[in-house]
Amino acid sequence: MSLYMKRFVYASLFYLALAAIIGILDGTMNLGYAATFAHTHFNLLGFMAMIVFGIGYFILPRFNGTELRFESWIPVHFWLANISLVGMVVFRGLSVETGADIYSVLFVISASAQVISIFMFVVNIWITLTPKKQPQAKTPIGQPSSPSTPSATFVVDEPKPVVRVSADTPVAYLVDTLPSLKETLVRGGLTPLGMPGHMDKVRAAGVTLGNAARNHGLDLDQLIRDIEDELKRNGFATGNDISAQPKFTATTMIGDVIANNPRARATFQKYFGSGCFDCPGQAYESIDMACRMHGIQPEVFLKELNETV
């Protein structure tokens, strides 16, 4: 959460406390219309609106899997909203108490500035949440476009993830990554995996490859070689391929890192807490975006993440 997102939250808490104090005083001492106006607007525009602004700026882009379109607007919105709110309360009270026209004019100016600040939030979030139109594929030259002739599309196969196989690798992770590895493990000596329902028990217990090999008296190195051979036959890269060593960058999607690298979870837990593990935005949120939202230097996080994994 950026500095001004936090400031919106802090400001909302301040206005809540201030409105509570004014409400108590007005209820016991009957301070008049000005106090009632201040109590109402500090609650509505101070507490409720600003807590929505702070949390909305932080949460809504994440759940939409996009970046906030105009992040530079937030400081302007913050100061405009706070100054105009105080101006509304002060000038409205003076206008009622003195009847001077100048205070009425200043109140209208403050109220107009408040409306502008609200529209800054509305426009920013609206554009952020609006999906971008994807360009349609062009029909190849000389080929007519018709219902029976679909437009040309170009499909690029994404590289399979790197799978490191070691004694610490969970058996369930291997089978979930490549189902045919179950037969490889059964042929290698882990025959109970062929029994109905046994894989669920292995998954629940978190059995690692090293534990399974030791419990069944198997050669762990040979088992790893058999697994890596099957992975390579299916287009996967293994941890022993020097050229396939993963290097996470600022543009890497955090969902890909978490899904394919169990060791990475500890680093994400350390810097971001457990929220990334079930956040729907992880499929579209890059490491850079996550770091900026949490106030973490991407270089620091990436260095530790790459070293850990």
Side-chain angles (χ1 to χ4, degrees):
M1 181 175 282
S2 69
L3 174 63
Y4 277 93
M5 293 177 190
K6 291 182 180 179
R7 284 184 174 179
F8 267 119
V9 176
Y10 289 140
S12 72
L13 298 177
F14 169 78
Y15 287 121
L16 176 62
L18 183 60
I21 294 173
I22 295 174
I24 293 173
L25 293 176
D26 187 37
T28 56
M29 303 170 60
N30 192 20
L31 300 179
Y33 172 79
T36 302
F37 185 88
H39 172 72
T40 302
H41 285 75
F42 282 149
N43 266 318
L44 294 178
L45 295 177
F47 168 58
M48 295 187 66
M50 292 198 188
I51 196 77
V52 169
F53 296 151
I55 296 177
Y57 278 134
F58 178 70
I59 292 293
L60 294 178
R62 290 171 61 92
F63 279 103
N64 195 52
T66 56
E67 295 189 47
L68 188 65
R69 182 62 180 86
F70 303 112
E71 190 166 353
S72 60
W73 286 12
I74 300 180
V76 178
H77 177 196
F78 175 82
W79 290 113
L80 190 61
N82 280 275
I83 293 173
S84 62
L85 174 57
V86 174
M88 287 175 60
V89 171
V90 171
F91 295 133
R92 182 59 176 171
L94 292 174
S95 174
V96 172
E97 293 296 328
T98 65
D101 292 338
I102 183 62
Y103 294 127
S104 297
V105 173
L106 291 174
F107 168 76
V108 172
I109 293 174
S110 298
S112 300
Q114 182 68 213
V115 171
I116 292 173
S117 73
I118 292 173
F119 271 89
M120 290 181 69
F121 175 78
V122 171
V123 172
N124 206 349
I125 295 299
W126 189 288
I127 295 177
T128 298
L129 300 183
T130 301
K132 296 181 179 179
K133 293 183 178 180
Q134 299 295 331
Q136 295 181 349
K138 296 181 179 180
T139 303
I141 298 176
Q143 180 177 338
S145 177
S146 65
S148 60
T149 306
S151 300
T153 56
F154 300 90
V155 179
V156 179
D157 292 333
E158 295 185 0
K160 295 290 184 69
V162 176
V163 179
R164 280 186 171 78
V165 186
S166 67
D168 297 329
T169 305
V171 173
Y173 166 72
L174 293 171
V175 175
D176 292 340
T177 301
L178 181 60
S180 64
L181 281 177
K182 182 177 179 180
E183 296 300 324
T184 302
L185 293 170
V186 170
R187 290 195 303 270
L190 300 181
T191 54
L193 292 179
M195 299 171 56
H198 190 76
M199 179 55 68
D200 294 334
K201 297 179 181 178
V202 170
R203 181 178 288 102
V207 177
T208 63
L209 192 61
N211 289 335
R214 184 168 54 254
N215 293 338
H216 290 78
L218 304 177
D219 184 346
L220 176 61
D221 292 336
Q222 181 59 49
L223 192 60
I224 290 177
R225 285 193 292 271
D226 292 342
I227 293 171
E228 290 182 339
D229 288 343
E230 180 67 17
L231 287 167
K232 292 176 181 179
R233 279 195 294 272
N234 287 272
F236 286 81
T238 65
N240 291 331
D241 299 328
I242 297 178
S243 61
Q245 296 296 322
K247 182 173 178 59
F248 304 120
T249 66
T251 59
T252 304
M253 297 299 161
I254 63 176
D256 294 338
V257 180
I258 294 173
N260 301 315
N261 302 274
R263 290 179 180 270
R265 296 178 69 91
T267 307
F268 278 89
Q269 177 77 33
K270 174 182 176 180
Y271 284 90
F272 305 143
S274 59
C276 288
F277 302 146
D278 54 10
C279 175
Q282 65 169 248
Y284 309 100
E285 186 175 308
S286 66
I287 289 177
D288 179 66
M289 188 188 303
C291 287
R292 286 189 289 106
M293 287 183 173
H294 288 273
I296 304 298
Q297 290 294 328
E299 297 80 8
V300 175
F301 177 79
L302 282 167
K303 182 177 184 296
E304 183 166 336
L305 178 64
N306 282 304
E307 289 176 351
T308 300
V309 176

